[in-house]
Amino acid sequence: MATGDISNLQPEDSKPRESFPPKVNLFTMFRLGLFQMGLGMMSVLALGILNRVMIGELAIPATIAAGALAMHQFVAPVRVWFGQMSDAKPILGYHRTGYVWIGATLFAIASFLAVQVMWRLGNVVQAAGGWSWTTQTSGWTGLLALVFVFYGVALSMSSTPFAAMLVDVSDEDNRSKLVGIVWSMLMVGIVIGAILGSSLLKQVGTDAPLSALQASIDRLF
């Protein structure tokens, strides 16, 4: 029995230490947390301010407004698919970063598009003197729901590979610390988004014309 090649076999854990990624320091943890902070701010702006404006200022029924906003949750299962995609198909040589950047860009664009569709729907409702199911209201409502579907897909494309990236760049010694800091910054983003939204609405005022509110919200988004 030939045994000449047995001496060349090495255990898997004999991989040189320098081939492993460097340990994540505290500054990098907070830098990675900026992504989650952005998600927190976006959630307040997209789901909080738009919900209030549609119901309060544009007289869109709460059921219609909430249903359109909730569409991004119905596509949440695609997170599993994007997680598998980031494992198997890297973008520009990176398994996670490309998905995070592309997804973030797309959901930022989708949020601004949602604002513009919301104004169009509000104009139709005001022109009709109140809400009623017409061809125009149905079309703009369907388009608004479709934009939030796109928003949810883009959010899934970025957030799941980002969570996988946290596992990739950390080890058992600092993974819990990294996850804790990153998800704490999500809460920071929610607080900042709430402050920004409240400040915006106070500056415009409750008696301001709708055009002033529209200009302020467009500028914010």
Side-chain angles (χ1 to χ4, degrees), residues 1-70:
M1 181 177 179
T3 58
D5 295 331
I6 295 181
S7 60
N8 294 328
L9 299 178
Q10 296 180 355
E12 293 181 358
D13 58 2
S14 63
K15 189 177 182 180
R17 182 61 191 173
E18 52 269 16
S19 64
F20 288 91
K23 192 169 184 177
V24 179
N25 56 38
L26 190 61
F27 173 76
T28 303
M29 291 180 184
F30 280 100
R31 185 166 61 88
L32 290 171
L34 292 175
F35 175 77
Q36 286 292 92
M37 188 175 75
L39 288 185
M41 294 175 63
M42 184 66 71
S43 66
V44 174
L45 296 179
L47 306 181
I49 292 182
L50 298 190
N51 183 63
R52 174 178 172 178
V53 170
M54 280 193 285
I55 298 173
E57 278 71 22
L58 301 181
I60 298 174
T63 304
I64 304 300
L69 291 170

Short mmCIF file of all heavy atoms in Angstrom, two decimals, residues 1-70:
data_model
loop_
_atom_site.label_atom_id
_atom_site.label_comp_id
_atom_site.label_asym_id
_atom_site.label_seq_id
_atom_site.Cartn_x
_atom_site.Cartn_y
_atom_site.Cartn_z
N MET A 1 0.85 -1.20 0.00
CA MET A 1 0.00 0.00 0.00
C MET A 1 0.89 1.24 0.00
O MET A 1 1.80 1.38 0.81
CB MET A 1 -0.90 0.00 1.24
CG MET A 1 -1.83 1.21 1.30
SD MET A 1 -2.92 1.10 2.74
CE MET A 1 -3.82 2.63 2.52
N ALA A 2 0.61 2.17 -0.92
CA ALA A 2 1.46 3.34 -1.04
C ALA A 2 1.13 4.33 0.05
O ALA A 2 -0.03 4.64 0.31
CB ALA A 2 1.25 4.00 -2.41
N THR A 3 2.15 4.82 0.69
CA THR A 3 1.96 5.79 1.78
C THR A 3 2.80 7.03 1.57
O THR A 3 2.95 7.84 2.47
CB THR A 3 2.36 5.14 3.13
OG1 THR A 3 3.72 4.72 3.05
CG2 THR A 3 1.47 3.96 3.44
N GLY A 4 3.32 7.22 0.38
CA GLY A 4 4.24 8.33 0.14
C GLY A 4 3.58 9.69 0.25
O GLY A 4 4.24 10.68 0.57
N ASP A 5 2.24 9.80 0.01
CA ASP A 5 1.57 11.09 0.02
C ASP A 5 0.97 11.44 1.38
O ASP A 5 0.46 12.54 1.57
CB ASP A 5 0.45 11.14 -1.03
CG ASP A 5 1.02 11.04 -2.43
OD1 ASP A 5 2.15 11.48 -2.64
OD2 ASP A 5 0.27 10.55 -3.29
N ILE A 6 1.00 10.51 2.32
CA ILE A 6 0.36 10.75 3.61
C ILE A 6 1.06 11.88 4.35
O ILE A 6 0.43 12.70 5.01
CB ILE A 6 0.36 9.46 4.46
CG1 ILE A 6 -0.52 8.42 3.78
CG2 ILE A 6 -0.13 9.76 5.87
CD1 ILE A 6 -0.61 7.12 4.54
N SER A 7 2.36 11.99 4.22
CA SER A 7 3.11 13.01 4.94
C SER A 7 2.80 14.42 4.44
O SER A 7 3.06 15.41 5.14
CB SER A 7 4.62 12.76 4.81
OG SER A 7 4.98 12.79 3.43
N ASN A 8 2.22 14.52 3.23
CA ASN A 8 1.89 15.84 2.69
C ASN A 8 0.54 16.37 3.16
O ASN A 8 0.21 17.52 2.93
CB ASN A 8 1.89 15.80 1.16
CG ASN A 8 3.28 15.53 0.61
OD1 ASN A 8 4.26 15.94 1.21
ND2 ASN A 8 3.33 14.83 -0.52
N LEU A 9 -0.26 15.48 3.78
CA LEU A 9 -1.57 15.89 4.24
C LEU A 9 -1.44 16.69 5.52
O LEU A 9 -0.68 16.35 6.42
CB LEU A 9 -2.46 14.66 4.49
CG LEU A 9 -2.74 13.78 3.26
CD1 LEU A 9 -3.58 12.58 3.66
CD2 LEU A 9 -3.46 14.58 2.18
N GLN A 10 -2.20 17.81 5.60
CA GLN A 10 -2.17 18.66 6.78
C GLN A 10 -3.59 18.92 7.25
O GLN A 10 -4.51 18.99 6.43
CB GLN A 10 -1.50 20.02 6.47
CG GLN A 10 -0.05 19.89 6.07
CD GLN A 10 0.56 21.25 5.77
OE1 GLN A 10 -0.15 22.25 5.78
NE2 GLN A 10 1.84 21.28 5.54
N PRO A 11 -3.78 19.02 8.54
CA PRO A 11 -5.13 19.33 9.03
C PRO A 11 -5.57 20.70 8.57
O PRO A 11 -4.75 21.58 8.31
CB PRO A 11 -4.98 19.26 10.56
CG PRO A 11 -3.53 19.52 10.81
CD PRO A 11 -2.81 18.91 9.63
N GLU A 12 -6.92 20.91 8.50
CA GLU A 12 -7.45 22.17 8.00
C GLU A 12 -7.08 23.34 8.89
O GLU A 12 -6.91 24.46 8.43
CB GLU A 12 -8.98 22.08 7.88
CG GLU A 12 -9.43 21.10 6.81
CD GLU A 12 -10.93 21.06 6.70
OE1 GLU A 12 -11.58 21.77 7.49
OE2 GLU A 12 -11.44 20.32 5.85
N ASP A 13 -6.94 23.09 10.22
CA ASP A 13 -6.65 24.20 11.12
C ASP A 13 -5.20 24.61 11.11
O ASP A 13 -4.78 25.46 11.90
CB ASP A 13 -7.09 23.86 12.55
CG ASP A 13 -6.42 22.59 13.06
OD1 ASP A 13 -5.60 22.04 12.32
OD2 ASP A 13 -6.73 22.19 14.20
N SER A 14 -4.38 23.99 10.21
CA SER A 14 -2.99 24.41 10.09
C SER A 14 -2.82 25.57 9.14
O SER A 14 -1.72 25.96 8.80
CB SER A 14 -2.14 23.23 9.60
OG SER A 14 -2.54 22.84 8.30
N LYS A 15 -3.94 26.19 8.67
CA LYS A 15 -3.91 27.33 7.77
C LYS A 15 -3.16 28.49 8.44
O LYS A 15 -3.40 28.78 9.61
CB LYS A 15 -5.35 27.75 7.44
CG LYS A 15 -5.47 28.79 6.34
CD LYS A 15 -6.93 29.05 6.06
CE LYS A 15 -7.09 30.06 4.94
NZ LYS A 15 -8.52 30.33 4.65
N PRO A 16 -2.25 29.15 7.75
CA PRO A 16 -1.50 30.24 8.36
C PRO A 16 -2.42 31.31 8.93
O PRO A 16 -3.42 31.67 8.33
CB PRO A 16 -0.66 30.79 7.19
CG PRO A 16 -0.58 29.67 6.22
CD PRO A 16 -1.85 28.91 6.36
N ARG A 17 -2.05 31.85 10.09
CA ARG A 17 -2.89 32.81 10.76
C ARG A 17 -3.08 34.08 9.95
O ARG A 17 -4.14 34.71 9.98
CB ARG A 17 -2.27 33.15 12.13
CG ARG A 17 -3.10 34.12 12.97
CD ARG A 17 -4.44 33.55 13.29
NE ARG A 17 -5.34 34.55 13.87
CZ ARG A 17 -6.61 34.35 14.12
NH1 ARG A 17 -7.16 33.19 13.82
NH2 ARG A 17 -7.36 35.30 14.64
N GLU A 18 -2.05 34.48 9.17
CA GLU A 18 -2.16 35.72 8.44
C GLU A 18 -3.19 35.66 7.32
O GLU A 18 -3.56 36.68 6.75
CB GLU A 18 -0.80 36.13 7.86
CG GLU A 18 -0.12 35.05 7.04
CD GLU A 18 0.79 34.20 7.90
OE1 GLU A 18 0.65 34.23 9.13
OE2 GLU A 18 1.63 33.49 7.33
N SER A 19 -3.68 34.45 6.96
CA SER A 19 -4.68 34.33 5.92
C SER A 19 -6.08 34.63 6.44
O SER A 19 -7.00 34.79 5.67
CB SER A 19 -4.65 32.93 5.30
OG SER A 19 -5.00 31.96 6.27
N PHE A 20 -6.25 34.70 7.76
CA PHE A 20 -7.55 35.02 8.33
C PHE A 20 -7.74 36.54 8.33
O PHE A 20 -6.76 37.29 8.38
CB PHE A 20 -7.65 34.49 9.77
CG PHE A 20 -7.76 32.99 9.85
CD1 PHE A 20 -6.63 32.20 9.96
CD2 PHE A 20 -9.00 32.38 9.82
CE1 PHE A 20 -6.74 30.83 10.04
CE2 PHE A 20 -9.11 31.01 9.90
CZ PHE A 20 -7.98 30.23 10.01
N PRO A 21 -9.00 37.02 8.29
CA PRO A 21 -9.21 38.47 8.31
C PRO A 21 -8.77 39.05 9.64
O PRO A 21 -8.83 38.39 10.68
CB PRO A 21 -10.73 38.60 8.12
CG PRO A 21 -11.29 37.29 8.56
CD PRO A 21 -10.25 36.27 8.19
N PRO A 22 -8.29 40.30 9.63
CA PRO A 22 -7.86 40.92 10.89
C PRO A 22 -9.04 41.11 11.84
O PRO A 22 -10.19 41.22 11.42
CB PRO A 22 -7.29 42.26 10.44
CG PRO A 22 -7.95 42.54 9.13
CD PRO A 22 -8.15 41.20 8.48
N LYS A 23 -8.74 41.15 13.12
CA LYS A 23 -9.79 41.29 14.12
C LYS A 23 -10.43 42.67 14.00
O LYS A 23 -9.75 43.68 13.83
CB LYS A 23 -9.20 41.10 15.52
CG LYS A 23 -10.26 40.94 16.60
CD LYS A 23 -9.63 40.48 17.89
CE LYS A 23 -10.70 40.24 18.94
NZ LYS A 23 -10.13 39.72 20.20
N VAL A 24 -11.75 42.73 14.11
CA VAL A 24 -12.49 43.98 13.96
C VAL A 24 -12.28 44.83 15.21
O VAL A 24 -12.55 44.38 16.33
CB VAL A 24 -13.99 43.70 13.75
CG1 VAL A 24 -14.76 45.00 13.61
CG2 VAL A 24 -14.19 42.84 12.51
N ASN A 25 -11.80 46.06 15.03
CA ASN A 25 -11.60 46.94 16.18
C ASN A 25 -12.87 47.75 16.46
O ASN A 25 -13.85 47.69 15.71
CB ASN A 25 -10.40 47.87 15.96
CG ASN A 25 -10.52 48.70 14.69
OD1 ASN A 25 -11.60 49.15 14.34
ND2 ASN A 25 -9.41 48.88 13.99
N LEU A 26 -12.83 48.53 17.53
CA LEU A 26 -14.02 49.25 17.96
C LEU A 26 -14.45 50.30 16.94
O LEU A 26 -15.65 50.48 16.69
CB LEU A 26 -13.74 49.92 19.31
CG LEU A 26 -14.95 50.54 20.03
CD1 LEU A 26 -15.99 49.46 20.35
CD2 LEU A 26 -14.50 51.23 21.32
N PHE A 27 -13.49 51.00 16.33
CA PHE A 27 -13.83 52.00 15.33
C PHE A 27 -14.56 51.38 14.14
O PHE A 27 -15.55 51.92 13.65
CB PHE A 27 -12.55 52.70 14.85
CG PHE A 27 -12.78 53.64 13.69
CD1 PHE A 27 -13.36 54.88 13.90
CD2 PHE A 27 -12.41 53.27 12.41
CE1 PHE A 27 -13.58 55.75 12.83
CE2 PHE A 27 -12.63 54.13 11.34
CZ PHE A 27 -13.20 55.37 11.55
N THR A 28 -14.09 50.22 13.68
CA THR A 28 -14.73 49.54 12.56
C THR A 28 -16.13 49.07 12.93
O THR A 28 -17.04 49.08 12.09
CB THR A 28 -13.87 48.36 12.10
OG1 THR A 28 -12.57 48.82 11.76
CG2 THR A 28 -14.49 47.66 10.90
N MET A 29 -16.32 48.65 14.17
CA MET A 29 -17.65 48.23 14.61
C MET A 29 -18.65 49.38 14.49
O MET A 29 -19.76 49.21 13.98
CB MET A 29 -17.60 47.74 16.06
CG MET A 29 -16.86 46.44 16.26
SD MET A 29 -16.86 45.93 18.00
CE MET A 29 -15.84 44.45 17.92
N PHE A 30 -18.25 50.58 14.95
CA PHE A 30 -19.14 51.73 14.84
C PHE A 30 -19.32 52.15 13.38
O PHE A 30 -20.39 52.61 12.98
CB PHE A 30 -18.61 52.89 15.67
CG PHE A 30 -18.93 52.77 17.13
CD1 PHE A 30 -17.98 52.33 18.03
CD2 PHE A 30 -20.19 53.10 17.60
CE1 PHE A 30 -18.27 52.20 19.38
CE2 PHE A 30 -20.50 53.00 18.96
CZ PHE A 30 -19.53 52.54 19.85
N ARG A 31 -18.27 51.99 12.60
CA ARG A 31 -18.38 52.34 11.17
C ARG A 31 -19.36 51.41 10.47
O ARG A 31 -20.17 51.86 9.65
CB ARG A 31 -16.99 52.25 10.52
CG ARG A 31 -16.98 52.70 9.07
CD ARG A 31 -15.54 52.92 8.60
NE ARG A 31 -14.76 51.70 8.68
CZ ARG A 31 -14.70 50.79 7.71
NH1 ARG A 31 -15.38 50.97 6.60
NH2 ARG A 31 -13.96 49.71 7.85
N LEU A 32 -19.32 50.12 10.79
CA LEU A 32 -20.29 49.19 10.23
C LEU A 32 -21.70 49.51 10.73
O LEU A 32 -22.69 49.31 10.02
CB LEU A 32 -19.92 47.75 10.60
CG LEU A 32 -18.68 47.18 9.92
CD1 LEU A 32 -18.30 45.84 10.55
CD2 LEU A 32 -18.90 47.02 8.44
N GLY A 33 -21.78 50.01 11.96
CA GLY A 33 -23.08 50.35 12.52
C GLY A 33 -23.77 51.51 11.83
O GLY A 33 -24.99 51.69 11.98
N LEU A 34 -23.01 52.31 11.06
CA LEU A 34 -23.63 53.42 10.33
C LEU A 34 -24.68 52.92 9.35
O LEU A 34 -25.66 53.62 9.08
CB LEU A 34 -22.55 54.22 9.59
CG LEU A 34 -21.58 55.02 10.46
CD1 LEU A 34 -20.51 55.67 9.60
CD2 LEU A 34 -22.33 56.08 11.27
N PHE A 35 -24.48 51.73 8.80
CA PHE A 35 -25.48 51.18 7.88
C PHE A 35 -26.80 50.94 8.61
O PHE A 35 -27.87 51.33 8.13
CB PHE A 35 -24.97 49.88 7.26
CG PHE A 35 -25.97 49.18 6.39
CD1 PHE A 35 -26.22 49.63 5.11
CD2 PHE A 35 -26.67 48.07 6.85
CE1 PHE A 35 -27.15 49.01 4.30
CE2 PHE A 35 -27.60 47.43 6.04
CZ PHE A 35 -27.83 47.91 4.77
N GLN A 36 -26.72 50.33 9.79
CA GLN A 36 -27.94 50.09 10.56
C GLN A 36 -28.56 51.39 11.03
O GLN A 36 -29.79 51.52 11.09
CB GLN A 36 -27.62 49.20 11.77
CG GLN A 36 -27.37 47.74 11.42
CD GLN A 36 -28.63 47.06 10.94
OE1 GLN A 36 -28.91 47.00 9.76
NE2 GLN A 36 -29.41 46.54 11.87
N MET A 37 -27.73 52.39 11.36
CA MET A 37 -28.27 53.68 11.74
C MET A 37 -29.05 54.29 10.59
O MET A 37 -30.12 54.89 10.79
CB MET A 37 -27.14 54.61 12.17
CG MET A 37 -27.64 55.92 12.77
SD MET A 37 -26.31 56.96 13.42
CE MET A 37 -25.62 57.57 11.88
N GLY A 38 -28.54 54.14 9.37
CA GLY A 38 -29.25 54.62 8.20
C GLY A 38 -30.58 53.91 8.00
O GLY A 38 -31.59 54.53 7.64
N LEU A 39 -30.60 52.61 8.25
CA LEU A 39 -31.85 51.86 8.14
C LEU A 39 -32.87 52.35 9.16
O LEU A 39 -34.07 52.44 8.86
CB LEU A 39 -31.59 50.36 8.34
CG LEU A 39 -30.87 49.61 7.23
CD1 LEU A 39 -30.80 48.13 7.56
CD2 LEU A 39 -31.55 49.81 5.89
N GLY A 40 -32.41 52.65 10.37
CA GLY A 40 -33.32 53.16 11.39
C GLY A 40 -33.92 54.50 11.00
O GLY A 40 -35.12 54.72 11.15
N MET A 41 -33.09 55.40 10.47
CA MET A 41 -33.59 56.69 10.01
C MET A 41 -34.57 56.52 8.86
O MET A 41 -35.62 57.16 8.81
CB MET A 41 -32.41 57.58 9.58
CG MET A 41 -31.49 57.97 10.70
SD MET A 41 -30.03 58.88 10.11
CE MET A 41 -30.82 60.33 9.42
N MET A 42 -34.24 55.62 7.92
CA MET A 42 -35.10 55.41 6.77
C MET A 42 -36.45 54.83 7.18
O MET A 42 -37.49 55.20 6.61
CB MET A 42 -34.41 54.47 5.79
CG MET A 42 -35.17 54.23 4.50
SD MET A 42 -35.30 55.71 3.49
CE MET A 42 -33.61 55.85 2.93
N SER A 43 -36.46 53.96 8.17
CA SER A 43 -37.72 53.36 8.60
C SER A 43 -38.67 54.41 9.16
O SER A 43 -39.88 54.36 8.91
CB SER A 43 -37.47 52.26 9.63
OG SER A 43 -36.94 52.81 10.83
N VAL A 44 -38.13 55.37 9.92
CA VAL A 44 -38.98 56.42 10.48
C VAL A 44 -39.48 57.34 9.38
O VAL A 44 -40.67 57.70 9.33
CB VAL A 44 -38.22 57.22 11.55
CG1 VAL A 44 -39.05 58.40 12.03
CG2 VAL A 44 -37.86 56.32 12.72
N LEU A 45 -38.58 57.72 8.46
CA LEU A 45 -38.97 58.65 7.40
C LEU A 45 -39.99 58.02 6.46
O LEU A 45 -41.01 58.62 6.12
CB LEU A 45 -37.74 59.09 6.61
CG LEU A 45 -36.69 59.89 7.39
CD1 LEU A 45 -35.52 60.24 6.48
CD2 LEU A 45 -37.29 61.14 7.98
N ALA A 46 -39.71 56.79 6.03
CA ALA A 46 -40.56 56.15 5.04
C ALA A 46 -41.89 55.68 5.62
O ALA A 46 -42.94 55.79 4.99
CB ALA A 46 -39.83 54.98 4.39
N LEU A 47 -41.85 55.13 6.83
CA LEU A 47 -43.06 54.53 7.39
C LEU A 47 -43.79 55.46 8.35
O LEU A 47 -45.00 55.33 8.53
CB LEU A 47 -42.71 53.22 8.10
CG LEU A 47 -41.93 52.21 7.26
CD1 LEU A 47 -41.66 50.95 8.06
CD2 LEU A 47 -42.69 51.87 5.99
N GLY A 48 -43.08 56.37 8.98
CA GLY A 48 -43.72 57.27 9.93
C GLY A 48 -44.25 58.54 9.30
O GLY A 48 -45.44 58.84 9.39
N ILE A 49 -43.37 59.27 8.63
CA ILE A 49 -43.79 60.55 8.05
C ILE A 49 -44.78 60.35 6.90
O ILE A 49 -45.80 61.03 6.82
CB ILE A 49 -42.55 61.34 7.57
CG1 ILE A 49 -41.72 61.77 8.78
CG2 ILE A 49 -42.97 62.55 6.74
CD1 ILE A 49 -40.51 62.58 8.43
N LEU A 50 -44.48 59.42 6.01
CA LEU A 50 -45.38 59.21 4.88
C LEU A 50 -46.75 58.74 5.33
O LEU A 50 -47.78 59.13 4.77
CB LEU A 50 -44.77 58.21 3.90
CG LEU A 50 -43.46 58.61 3.23
CD1 LEU A 50 -43.11 57.64 2.11
CD2 LEU A 50 -43.52 60.03 2.70
N ASN A 51 -46.78 57.90 6.34
CA ASN A 51 -48.06 57.43 6.87
C ASN A 51 -48.88 58.59 7.39
O ASN A 51 -50.09 58.71 7.12
CB ASN A 51 -47.80 56.40 7.97
CG ASN A 51 -49.09 55.81 8.51
OD1 ASN A 51 -49.83 55.16 7.81
ND2 ASN A 51 -49.33 56.05 9.79
N ARG A 52 -48.25 59.49 8.15
CA ARG A 52 -48.96 60.63 8.71
C ARG A 52 -49.44 61.59 7.62
O ARG A 52 -50.56 62.08 7.67
CB ARG A 52 -48.04 61.37 9.68
CG ARG A 52 -48.64 62.67 10.22
CD ARG A 52 -47.75 63.35 11.20
NE ARG A 52 -48.25 64.66 11.55
CZ ARG A 52 -47.69 65.47 12.43
NH1 ARG A 52 -46.58 65.09 13.04
NH2 ARG A 52 -48.21 66.66 12.69
N VAL A 53 -48.58 61.85 6.64
CA VAL A 53 -48.94 62.79 5.58
C VAL A 53 -50.10 62.25 4.75
O VAL A 53 -51.04 62.98 4.42
CB VAL A 53 -47.72 63.09 4.69
CG1 VAL A 53 -48.13 63.87 3.45
CG2 VAL A 53 -46.67 63.87 5.47
N MET A 54 -50.05 60.96 4.41
CA MET A 54 -51.12 60.39 3.59
C MET A 54 -52.46 60.46 4.29
O MET A 54 -53.49 60.79 3.69
CB MET A 54 -50.77 58.94 3.22
CG MET A 54 -49.80 58.82 2.07
SD MET A 54 -49.67 57.14 1.39
CE MET A 54 -48.71 56.34 2.66
N ILE A 55 -52.48 60.15 5.58
CA ILE A 55 -53.75 60.12 6.31
C ILE A 55 -54.19 61.52 6.72
O ILE A 55 -55.36 61.89 6.54
CB ILE A 55 -53.62 59.21 7.55
CG1 ILE A 55 -53.31 57.77 7.12
CG2 ILE A 55 -54.89 59.26 8.38
CD1 ILE A 55 -53.01 56.83 8.27
N GLY A 56 -53.26 62.31 7.26
CA GLY A 56 -53.62 63.60 7.82
C GLY A 56 -53.77 64.71 6.80
O GLY A 56 -54.75 65.47 6.84
N GLU A 57 -52.82 64.82 5.88
CA GLU A 57 -52.82 65.95 4.95
C GLU A 57 -53.46 65.63 3.60
O GLU A 57 -54.04 66.51 2.97
CB GLU A 57 -51.39 66.45 4.72
CG GLU A 57 -50.86 67.40 5.79
CD GLU A 57 -50.56 66.70 7.09
OE1 GLU A 57 -50.37 65.47 7.07
OE2 GLU A 57 -50.52 67.38 8.13
N LEU A 58 -53.33 64.39 3.14
CA LEU A 58 -53.84 64.05 1.81
C LEU A 58 -55.20 63.36 1.86
O LEU A 58 -55.76 63.06 0.80
CB LEU A 58 -52.84 63.16 1.08
CG LEU A 58 -51.44 63.76 0.88
CD1 LEU A 58 -50.54 62.80 0.13
CD2 LEU A 58 -51.52 65.10 0.16
N ALA A 59 -55.71 63.09 3.06
CA ALA A 59 -57.05 62.49 3.24
C ALA A 59 -57.18 61.13 2.55
O ALA A 59 -58.24 60.77 2.05
CB ALA A 59 -58.14 63.44 2.73
N ILE A 60 -56.08 60.38 2.52
CA ILE A 60 -56.12 59.01 2.02
C ILE A 60 -56.55 58.10 3.16
O ILE A 60 -56.02 58.22 4.27
CB ILE A 60 -54.74 58.59 1.48
CG1 ILE A 60 -54.35 59.50 0.30
CG2 ILE A 60 -54.74 57.13 1.04
CD1 ILE A 60 -52.93 59.26 -0.20
N PRO A 61 -57.51 57.21 2.96
CA PRO A 61 -57.96 56.34 4.06
C PRO A 61 -56.80 55.58 4.70
O PRO A 61 -55.87 55.15 4.03
CB PRO A 61 -58.94 55.39 3.36
CG PRO A 61 -59.43 56.15 2.18
CD PRO A 61 -58.28 57.00 1.72
N ALA A 62 -56.89 55.44 6.02
CA ALA A 62 -55.80 54.79 6.77
C ALA A 62 -55.56 53.37 6.30
O ALA A 62 -54.42 52.90 6.27
CB ALA A 62 -56.14 54.81 8.26
N THR A 63 -56.62 52.67 5.92
CA THR A 63 -56.46 51.29 5.44
C THR A 63 -55.64 51.25 4.16
O THR A 63 -54.77 50.38 4.00
CB THR A 63 -57.83 50.65 5.20
OG1 THR A 63 -58.61 50.72 6.40
CG2 THR A 63 -57.68 49.19 4.78
N ILE A 64 -55.90 52.18 3.25
CA ILE A 64 -55.15 52.23 2.00
C ILE A 64 -53.70 52.59 2.25
O ILE A 64 -52.77 51.96 1.72
CB ILE A 64 -55.79 53.24 1.04
CG1 ILE A 64 -57.28 52.90 0.79
CG2 ILE A 64 -55.03 53.28 -0.27
CD1 ILE A 64 -57.49 51.54 0.19
N ALA A 65 -53.47 53.61 3.11
CA ALA A 65 -52.11 54.05 3.40
C ALA A 65 -51.31 52.94 4.08
O ALA A 65 -50.18 52.63 3.69
CB ALA A 65 -52.15 55.30 4.28
N ALA A 66 -51.91 52.32 5.10
CA ALA A 66 -51.21 51.27 5.83
C ALA A 66 -50.97 50.04 4.95
O ALA A 66 -49.92 49.40 5.03
CB ALA A 66 -52.01 50.87 7.07
N GLY A 67 -51.95 49.73 4.09
CA GLY A 67 -51.78 48.58 3.20
C GLY A 67 -50.64 48.76 2.22
O GLY A 67 -49.86 47.84 1.98
N ALA A 68 -50.53 49.98 1.66
CA ALA A 68 -49.44 50.25 0.72
C ALA A 68 -48.09 50.18 1.42
O ALA A 68 -47.13 49.60 0.91
CB ALA A 68 -49.64 51.61 0.07
N LEU A 69 -48.00 50.77 2.62
CA LEU A 69 -46.75 50.77 3.36
C LEU A 69 -46.35 49.36 3.80
O LEU A 69 -45.16 49.05 3.87
CB LEU A 69 -46.87 51.67 4.59
CG LEU A 69 -46.97 53.17 4.33
CD1 LEU A 69 -47.33 53.91 5.60
CD2 LEU A 69 -45.67 53.71 3.76
N ALA A 70 -47.34 48.52 4.07
CA ALA A 70 -47.05 47.17 4.56
C ALA A 70 -46.56 46.23 3.46
O ALA A 70 -46.10 45.12 3.76
CB ALA A 70 -48.29 46.58 5.22
#
